[in-house]
Amino acid sequence: MNRISASLVVAAAALVGLALQAEDFRPLMKTTQATWPAKQHIGVICDYPASQEAVLALARAAGEGAFITVVDARSWDKAVPAAHLIANHHADYLVLLPGDRMFRDGSIGATQAISQLGRRGVPAIATTPVALRQGAVFSVGDATNGELLVTDRLIGTVDVILPSRAMTEKGALVLREAGMATVTVLAPE
């Protein structure tokens, strides 16, 4: 194998490793638990087979006692039925998975889901800044460098208490390890 081929193989392996690394949801869950301590039911819309590791990372960060309803939607045109399923199962809020194939932050599917859920009073939260432009109420994670970003405009969501910006210290955003949340996976209609 020549040098160029070897370099390409190493670069490809590095990219695959980065793609497989799951988002750290601990800062997001720490902020959520401090802001909405009674809200324990999380909704997620994603391509579940492709995003299973991210869902498990979220379940670990949410901890024991939390409940995650996942709607396994594999195309963006399932956004509206998936959002209705999340709302009908009484999820307290939606968490966007930043690496999902169809419903990642900034995608058409995520925008439609956030809009539908906002009309039903279910807020969305995320780990990247782009989600705020879509209608998420706050964002904190690796992509925000641990800084809590709070929306200055709520779209359709009623009765949401936003987190305090005083919770932005990176060291204060660490959850202790506990049990995992219960995860249920549903298919959209």
Side-chain angles (χ1 to χ4, degrees), residues 41-108:
H41 190 170
I42 303 164
V44 173
I45 301 171
C46 67
D47 177 352
Y48 184 68
S51 295
Q52 186 173 5
E53 286 301 316
V55 171
L56 291 176
L58 176 62
R60 283 186 214 97
E64 197 169 335
F67 186 76
I68 301 174
T69 298
V70 177
V71 177
D72 180 17
R74 302 199 186 162
S75 63
W76 66 268
D77 63 332
K78 299 290 186 192
V80 172
H84 287 298
L85 200 51
I86 291 290
N88 291 342
H89 278 81
H90 307 291
D92 294 315
Y93 55 92
L94 176 74
V95 173
L96 295 176
L97 304 179
D100 188 67
R101 194 172 64 83
M102 286 292 142
F103 295 93
R104 70 188 168 280
D105 305 7
S107 70
I108 293 170

Side-chain angles (χ1 to χ4, degrees), residues 19-43:
L20 294 177
Q21 182 181 7
E23 175 76 21
D24 182 6
F25 290 102
R26 291 177 299 179
L28 183 67
M29 289 294 95
K30 176 74 172 176
T31 303
T32 304
Q33 291 164 354
T35 304
W36 305 322
K39 295 183 184 266
Q40 294 289 316
H41 190 170
I42 303 164

Side-chain angles (χ1 to χ4, degrees), residues 49-172:
S51 295
Q52 186 173 5
E53 286 301 316
V55 171
L56 291 176
L58 176 62
R60 283 186 214 97
E64 197 169 335
F67 186 76
I68 301 174
T69 298
V70 177
V71 177
D72 180 17
R74 302 199 186 162
S75 63
W76 66 268
D77 63 332
K78 299 290 186 192
V80 172
H84 287 298
L85 200 51
I86 291 290
N88 291 342
H89 278 81
H90 307 291
D92 294 315
Y93 55 92
L94 176 74
V95 173
L96 295 176
L97 304 179
D100 188 67
R101 194 172 64 83
M102 286 292 142
F103 295 93
R104 70 188 168 280
D105 305 7
S107 70
I108 293 170
T111 301
Q112 290 179 332
I114 290 169
S115 175
Q116 286 296 316
L117 286 167
R119 289 185 196 124
R120 304 255 327 246
V122 180
I125 61 174
T127 59
T128 68
V130 71
L132 293 179
R133 292 190 294 271
Q134 288 179 277
V137 296
F138 66 86
S139 179
V140 62
D142 296 338
T144 68
N145 294 320
E147 181 183 347
L148 175 63
L149 304 176
V150 180
T151 189
D152 55 358
R153 57 186 171 90
L154 288 177
I155 301 173
T157 305
V158 181
D159 198 26
V160 175
I161 298 168
L162 294 175
S164 166
R165 291 191 191 268
M167 297 169 39
T168 61
E169 294 179 36
K170 203 168 189 176

